[in-house]
Amino acid sequence: AFDDCGTDEAAAYRVMGMLKNDADILLLIKVYGLREFKGCFSGSHYFGSEELSLPGAITYEMSNGEISKLNSILQKAGITYKF
């Protein structure tokens, strides 16, 4: 969902929709680990790169409304974790 410039929000929503409990989200974050993130035209990542965790990539790439939608998907599954 996070690959160079831009974000595939639909893919992020699909993945979050497959999670069933808090252990699933924690495992996803652990498996994601730290990945190279290349910014495009904005913020501290302007044409640079750094390693970000899944929560870091979500916070950087998604708007507040998109993050709210992710959290809503998690909440509907009974997951208490919030981005």
Side-chain angles (χ1 to χ4, degrees):
F2 309 102
D3 186 27
D4 289 331
C5 296
T7 301
D8 184 349
E9 291 86 1
Y13 300 146
R14 274 193 309 278
V15 168
M16 296 303 164
M18 293 188 289
L19 304 178
K20 305 294 182 205
N21 53 49
D22 285 297
D24 286 349
I25 187 69
L26 296 175
L27 181 60
L28 178 63
I29 292 168
K30 180 179 179 181
V31 169
Y32 187 93
L34 293 175
R35 297 190 183 182
E36 184 180 21
F37 178 82
K38 296 177 185 174
C40 295
F41 311 114
S42 67
S44 62
H45 304 285
Y46 190 84
F47 282 123
S49 68
E50 74 177 270
E51 291 187 334
L52 294 177
S53 64
L54 180 60
I58 287 172
T59 300
Y60 185 80
E61 274 291 298
M62 301 184 88
S63 70
N64 288 338
E66 292 164 341
I67 292 171
S68 291
K69 184 171 180 176
L70 280 182
N71 287 331
S72 177
I73 291 167
L74 296 175
Q75 183 180 19
K76 287 178 184 173
I79 296 170
T80 59
Y81 185 92
K82 299 217 182 313
F83 289 100

